Amino acid sequence: MSSSDSAALRRTALDALHRSLGATMTDFAGWDMPLRYGSERDEHVAVRTRAGLFDLSHMGEIAVTGPQAAALLNHALVGNIASVGVGRARYTMICRADGGILDDLIVYRLAETEYLVVANASNAQVVLDALTERAAGFDAEVRDDRDAYALIAVQGPESPGILKSLTDADLDGLKYYAGLPGTVAGVPALIARTGYTGEDGFELFVRPEHAVQLWQALTEAGSPVGLVPCGLSCRDTLRLEAGMPLYGHELTTSLTPFDAGLGRVVKFEKDGDFVGREALQEAADRAAAKPPRVLVGLVAEGRRVPRAGYPVVAGGEVIGEVTSGAPSPTLGRPIAMAYVDAAHAAPGTAGVGVDIRGSHEPYEVVALPFYKRQK
């Protein structure tokens, strides 16, 4: 990357701090983000066994406010957002009129007429544009709040204890997929019990000018229990082990939620029409009549790592395609998620392999997720 290219990348409020920690930086969706600080494997293991600290300030925050904010979101998204209680969050999707997935989202209801929509970095502008367009005729405002927030996540079994030492917010009463306003290390924050690692943890939305202070306070509070800074590389292996989809891999505009095995997020019973309803109803009927390819887990019998786009094979025929693959630090073997024909999707199906550069490597079909934390 030339210096002029790197100058064009957006930088988070924690950029100088990442560099001072020796982070390897990478271009991710137009942002200069930490890929790793040291060993990806060590960072991954820290989150599984102790705690990790992530800068997620590249995520796209969009505020939706006004008397008809709920009605707008019910029209624009596939979920029933009007039924989300104040202080709670919901995983949902925004689809095109043809049912293709534009992005998967988390929507927080901050107040009666105030919502925070969090989009993936790579799709933030697309989601903002779609919501703005779909807001026509609704008494509601869509606002780009990407510059208003830094987002820091602390994830792992030690994360509740670390955060408790820095806040008097009621963390014990904070359920999974809920958020509450509070103060952390003297910094005003929206404290959300959400994450993308398969572990318990929190995501802290703060003003950018408070990000360094919060990061340093979390680092100090977490150091006695082994908290480490973590980059995007281990975030990817953590979410893969947890069977969580990544936009551009498991989710694309060429797939509907029903094709992705996530038809449960589509709420046909909600009031009013919504974008993509007709196409999604057809997709649901198709899926019921003839199951589409199924997203499954694959565990390598050998050491070769499958990558996105590699064909999945059985009996000399291509039966699917790998969407994500990596070595799994927890399982100690390469793993992958893949869409495969329904006939080969049952766990334990014999004779399934991945075509890795012409060699058919044997893989075991398993149910997702690969890893589930002990409650």
Side-chain angles (χ1 to χ4, degrees), residues 48 156-157 176 193 197-201 242 369 371-375:
R48 285 276 177 261
Y176 186 49
R193 198 164 208 153
T197 62
E199 297 299 336
D200 192 9
Y371 166 85
K372 205 164 191 175
R373 73 182 172 94
Q374 303 301 308
K375 298 285 187 205

Side-chain angles (χ1 to χ4, degrees), residues 1-11 19 27 30-32:
M1 184 191 294
S2 74
S3 58
S4 62
D5 288 340
S6 72
L9 292 177
R10 297 184 71 172
R11 299 187 173 198
R19 291 168 197 281
D27 173 0
W31 290 82
D32 211 10

